[in-house]
Amino acid sequence: MAEEALSSLNSDASGARAQARTFLALRRDPRLLRIPPYLSALCIIVGIVWLLLLPLNEYSRRTYISENALLPGQVHTYFGGSEQNVFNAYKHEVRALAGKSQDDISEKLSEIFKASGIKVARQRYEYHAAGNTYGGENVYAILHAPRGDATEAIVLVAAWRNMDEELNQSGVALVLTLARYFKRWSLWSKDIIFLITAESKAGPQAWVDAYHDAHSPPSVASLPLKSGALQGAIVVDNALDHRFESLHITYDGINGQLPNLDLFNTAVSIASGQMGIGVSLQRMWKHGDTYRERLQTMLRGMVSQGLGHASGPHSSFIPYHVDAITLQAVGDGWQDEMAMGRCVESLFRSLNNLLEHLHQSFFFYLLMQANRFVSIGTYLPSAMLVAVNFTIMAIALWLQSGRPPKTKVALTQNGEDARKPEMVMIKQDGMTTVIPKEDLATLERHLFLPVVVVLGLHFLGVIPLHLFNNTTQMSLSRTLFTFNLFNFALPDLIAVLLSSYAPLTHQQRLLTKCFSLVLLGMFLATLATLNFSLAFLIGLLASPLSFLGIPPSESPTAEVPSSWTIMTRILSSIVLHALAPGVVLFAVCAYSGVSVEEVLTQAAFGWNVSGLWTQVIVWCVWWPAWLVGGIFVSPYGLRNRT
C-alpha cells in the first residue's frame, strides 16, 4: 500500500510538472501570435453587426419625455384668427424687401419690431473663409418677461435666407407675427429674443458668439442688448408660398453635438399629437417604420454627425449648451402658417415652464424615426469594438518585437534538430519545470527611432490641415487633385528616405506599426465618447491598416525580400491607396452627387468660423496611420538594418 501511494504521488508530481511545462511553454508559443488578426477581424465584424441590429425593436426604444415640467401639448393655443391677416401683411412686407440692400432690410425689420413695442438692436459681422467673405447684419429684439427677472431667455430665430439659399418669406413673417402676438401675453417667465439673421450659417454663429462674449471684434460686433442665460432656441424655416404637408425637424449640431432629446420629443409630441402635423427627420419624407427605413434614417444621421458641419441655424447654439432645433415646413398639403405658429407657441409655452436647464434626458443618441431612438449605452460598443481591433494588433506587434529571430540549425538525417537545446529550470507558483532557454530569450526594444517616425508623421498632418483650410474656393478641387497625386508617391518616397538614411531593423518596423495602431485605437476610442459617428466611420475606413503593412516575420535579417513579399506589398499598396483620405473624399462626393469644391468650402468655413474639428481627425489621426501602413507595404526601400 505504501509503495502504491508513493507511486501515485510520483505520478501526480510528474503530471503537475508536465502541466507547468506545457503552460509556461504555451506562453512562448509563436502560434499564439496567429490569433490576434482573427480576433481583430472578429471585433470589426461584431461591431458592424451590432450597429445593424440597432433598428430592431429589441435594441431600440420609443421616445419619451423625461422632464415632467415641459407638459407638451397641455396648453390651449390661441394663435390664429386675426393673426392670419397680420401674418399676410408682414409676408407682403418681406416680399417687398427681396433684392434690396442689407441696410434697407435691417431698417424695415427694426421698424416692425419697434411698432410691436419691443427693444431692437443690430449687429454687423464679417467672416473670411476659403477666399470668400461672409458678411451681413443681424436684427434682434428682446421681449422682457413680465413675470421674470431677465436671468433666462428663449430664442426664436428665422434666417432671411435658409440653408438652400431661398428667401425664408413665411418664416421671417411668422417670427414678426409671433413677436407682436407674444407681446400681448403676461404669462412669460423668461425673456424671449426674436432673432432674424442675414443668412443661415455665419449670422447665427456671429450672434451667439457675441452673446457669450466669444466673438472676435472688429469683424464681429458686440451686442448692444442682452438678456439672461439662453435656455433653448427654435428656428423657423418656411420658404414655401403655399400650404405645407409636414414639419422636417433638423437637430444635428456642429462636431456631431446634439440637443437634449427632451426638446426634440417635445416638438414631435406637440406637432404630431396636439396639432396633427406629420414629422420627418434626416430628409426621410416618407417613413413606413420598416427596418430598412429605420436603418437608412440612422445612417443618414450618422453621416451628418460624422461630417460635423452646421445643418441649420440651430447648430451654432448647441456648442454653447443651448438646446436648439430647426422646424422646416416641407411638402404640399393642407397645413397653413397658423398651424406652424401654434406649434411654436405651444413649444415656447413648454420651455417657459422649465425651472432649470434641460438635463434629464439624453444628449447622445441615434434617432431612426420620430418616435424611436437608441441611447449611447446601446450603440457605443459598436464603435469601441472597431477601435479595439487596432489595440489588439498593437499588443501582438509589441509581443512579437521582443522575440529573437529564428536562427537556422543543422538537421539530422531524420529531419530533427541536431543540436541539444540548453535547458533551464523555472519555478513559478510552487511549480517547477524545465524548458529550453531560448524560449525565455527576449530582445531589448529600441524605441527612439520608431517613436520619432510615428510622431513626425502625425505632425506632418498639419500641412494638409493648413493647406485645405486656407486655400481659395476656386483652387480647392485642383489642390485636392494635386495633393492626391503627391500622396500616391509619398509613402514610397518616405520608405526610400528611411531605407537610405535611417534604415529600420525588423524590430523597429514592428514597433513603428505598433505605436501607430495603438495611437489610432486610443484616439478613436476617446472620440467615440464625443462623436460616435465620426469615430465609427473613420475606424471602419482605417480597419485595413490592422492587417496590411505588417512587417513579415519570415526572415528579419534578409537583405533582399522574396518575390512573394514584394508582390504582397504591391497588392496591399493598391488597396491602401484606394482607401486614402483624399481618394475616399472623391469617391463619396461622386456617389452622393456633391461637388468636392462645395464639401471642402464648407469644411474651411466650419474650421474658420464654427470651430469644426473633423479635419483634425482626418489629417492628424487617420492620414498619419495610413502613411505608416503605406510605408511598410511600399515595394521600395525594403532593406532592413541588421
Side-chain angles (χ1 to χ4, degrees):
M1 292 294 292
E3 293 180 357
E4 291 180 1
L6 183 61
S7 175
S8 177
L9 289 175
N10 291 334
S11 176
D12 292 342
S14 300
R17 285 194 298 269
Q19 291 178 1
R21 187 184 303 112
T22 303
F23 173 74
L24 294 174
L26 184 61
R27 294 175 57 188
R28 294 284 175 169
D29 194 334
R31 290 175 296 182
L32 285 178
L33 294 179
R34 299 177 185 176
I35 298 177
Y38 298 100
L39 186 59
S40 179
L42 180 63
C43 288
I44 297 173
I45 295 172
V46 173
I48 296 173
V49 172
W50 192 299
L51 187 75
L52 296 178
L53 291 175
L54 295 179
L56 298 177
N57 289 333
E58 292 79 6
Y59 299 94
S60 58
R61 291 186 283 175
R62 290 189 61 84
T63 56
Y64 56 92
I65 304 293
S66 299
E67 179 57 71
N68 295 325
L70 286 170
L71 299 174
Q74 299 300 309
V75 298
H76 182 74
T77 55
Y78 297 94
F79 186 76
S82 61
E83 303 301 329
Q84 178 74 61
N85 299 325
V86 178
F87 171 82
N88 292 335
Y90 286 151
K91 188 174 181 179
H92 179 75
E93 296 279 2
V94 171
R95 286 177 177 172
L97 291 172
K100 291 192 175 182
S101 66
Q102 182 64 60
D103 290 335
D104 292 338
I105 295 173
S106 299
E107 186 64 33
K108 185 61 179 179
L109 293 176
S110 298
E111 291 178 3
I112 295 175
F113 280 126
K114 288 178 182 178
S116 300
I118 309 175
K119 293 182 180 179
V120 187
R122 301 186 197 177
Q123 179 209 22
R124 283 198 172 273
Y125 63 90
E126 185 176 282
Y127 291 109
H128 301 278
N132 299 325
T133 300
Y134 302 86
E137 187 175 36
N138 296 323
V139 179
Y140 68 101
I142 300 179
L143 171 61
H144 292 289
R147 303 171 59 186
D149 54 359
T151 57
E152 296 177 334
I154 317 171
V155 189
L156 180 59
V157 187
W160 186 259
R161 293 195 173 275
N162 62 12
M163 293 293 290
D164 298 324
E165 292 299 324
E166 300 173 335
L167 177 63
N168 187 18
Q169 51 183 358
S170 297
V172 174
L174 185 59
V175 170
L176 297 174
T177 307
L178 286 170
R180 181 178 180 274
Y181 173 75
F182 286 168
K183 174 65 176 177
R184 303 202 306 263
W185 288 84
S186 61
L187 52 82
W188 305 113
S189 62
K190 295 176 175 58
D191 291 353
I192 300 179
I193 303 175
F194 304 95
L195 172 63
I196 298 179
T197 62
E199 37 76 59
S200 295
K201 294 185 299 181
Q205 189 67 52
W207 188 87
V208 74
D209 284 347
Y211 194 91
H212 294 89
D213 295 323
H215 60 298
S216 301
S219 59
V220 178
S222 300
L223 298 183
L225 290 178
K226 287 186 181 182
S227 181
L230 302 182
Q231 299 298 301
I234 306 299
V235 181
V236 179
D237 181 2
N238 187 357
L240 304 177
D241 195 23
H242 53 76
R243 292 172 178 262
F244 64 93
E245 180 182 7
S246 62
L247 287 178
H248 178 253
I249 301 181
T250 310
Y251 56 92
D252 303 311
I254 297 170
N255 293 322
Q257 293 177 288
L258 300 172
N260 190 274
L261 187 57
D262 267 347
L263 180 62
F264 177 87
N265 293 339
T266 301
V268 172
S269 176
I270 291 172
S272 60
Q274 184 182 14
M275 304 299 170
I277 303 176
V279 174
S280 60
L281 61 152
Q282 300 299 343
R283 298 187 176 273
M284 294 288 292
W285 313 123
K286 301 293 182 181
H287 202 299
D289 201 24
T290 63
Y291 170 83
R292 181 176 180 179
E293 290 168 323
R294 287 183 182 182
L295 179 62
Q296 188 175 358
T297 304
M298 183 184 71
L299 293 179
R300 287 188 178 190
M302 288 181 59
V303 171
S304 177
Q305 294 162 31
L307 292 175
H309 61 87
S311 58
H314 68 281
S315 299
S316 302
F317 290 84
I318 298 179
Y320 289 94
H321 304 289
V322 180
D323 302 304
I325 57 174
T326 294
L327 304 179
Q328 181 184 16
V330 295
D332 189 358
W334 57 276
Q335 304 288 351
D336 62 358
E337 296 85 356
M338 295 299 102
M340 191 173 189
R342 286 190 292 272
C343 283
V344 175
E345 178 191 358
S346 184
L347 193 51
F348 267 66
R349 293 282 296 274
S350 293
L351 293 175
N352 188 60
N353 294 335
L354 289 176
L355 299 177
E356 53 186 337
H357 201 82
L358 288 173
H359 66 282
Q360 292 195 21
S361 192
F362 297 96
F363 287 95
F364 298 94
Y365 51 86
L366 292 176
L367 286 168
M368 52 197 64
Q369 197 249 355
N371 296 304
R372 201 153 201 94
F373 79 106
V374 177
S375 64
I376 185 172
T378 305
Y379 67 70
L380 186 62
S382 58
M384 288 299 184
L385 284 170
V386 174
V388 81
N389 95 87
F390 301 110
T391 306
I392 291 173
M393 289 302 299
I395 293 174
L397 292 173
W398 175 264
L399 295 177
Q400 187 177 346
S401 67
R403 292 179 179 272
K406 293 293 183 181
T407 56
K408 294 183 179 180
V409 297
L411 301 178
T412 64
Q413 294 181 353
N414 298 329
E416 299 177 353
D417 193 345
R419 62 173 186 168
K420 262 191 174 181
E422 185 179 353
M423 308 301 286
V424 63
M425 181 180 294
I426 298 296
K427 294 182 178 181
Q428 181 173 331
D429 298 332
M431 297 183 296
T432 304
T433 186
V434 178
I435 61 175
K437 185 177 181 180
E438 65 177 11
D439 287 349
L440 296 177
T442 57
L443 289 179
E444 180 184 357
R445 294 180 175 90
H446 302 279
L447 306 179
F448 178 75
L449 193 54
V451 170
V452 169
V453 171
V454 172
L455 293 182
L457 292 177
H458 276 272
F459 280 111
L460 194 65
V462 175
I463 296 177
L465 180 65
H466 176 81
L467 180 66
F468 291 111
N469 288 326
N470 294 276
T471 303
T472 61
Q473 181 177 354
M474 297 181 61
S475 304
L476 280 173
S477 297
R478 185 169 60 254
T479 302
L480 180 62
F481 181 77
T482 304
F483 175 81
N484 281 340
L485 290 180
F486 175 74
N487 193 49
F488 184 81
L490 185 58
D492 296 335
L493 176 62
I494 297 177
V496 171
L497 291 176
L498 286 176
S499 180
S500 302
Y501 298 101
L504 302 174
T505 64
H506 177 70
Q507 182 198 68
Q508 289 173 328
R509 289 173 178 269
L510 292 173
L511 290 173
T512 303
K513 185 69 176 178
C514 167
F515 295 154
S516 176
L517 290 180
V518 78
L519 282 178
L520 181 60
M522 180 184 66
F523 285 137
L524 293 182
T526 305
L527 178 64
T529 62
L530 302 174
N531 190 340
F532 162 83
S533 303
L534 180 60
F536 185 85
L537 294 174
I538 295 295
L540 212 57
L541 291 170
S543 57
L545 297 176
S546 295
F547 313 101
L548 302 179
I550 305 297
S553 57
E554 52 184 14
S555 53
T557 58
E559 289 290 330
V560 180
S562 65
S563 58
W564 171 254
T565 301
I566 295 178
M567 183 61 65
T568 302
R569 294 190 180 190
I570 292 176
L571 295 176
S572 300
S573 180
I574 294 174
V575 174
L576 282 183
H577 279 93
L579 293 175
V583 176
V584 170
L585 177 59
F586 266 119
V588 171
C589 290
Y591 176 78
S592 58
V594 181
S595 67
V596 175
E597 180 181 298
E598 180 181 352
V599 173
L600 293 177
T601 301
Q602 295 297 328
F605 174 85
W607 173 264
N608 291 282
V609 178
S610 306
L612 180 67
W613 40 258
T614 302
Q615 301 97 308
V616 177
I617 304 301
V618 172
W619 297 118
C620 296
V621 176
W622 177 20
W623 186 62
W626 178 88
L627 272 181
V628 172
I631 291 171
F632 290 142
V633 300
S634 172
Y636 305 99
L638 300 181
R639 181 172 60 85
N640 292 330
R641 177 167 60 88
T642 58

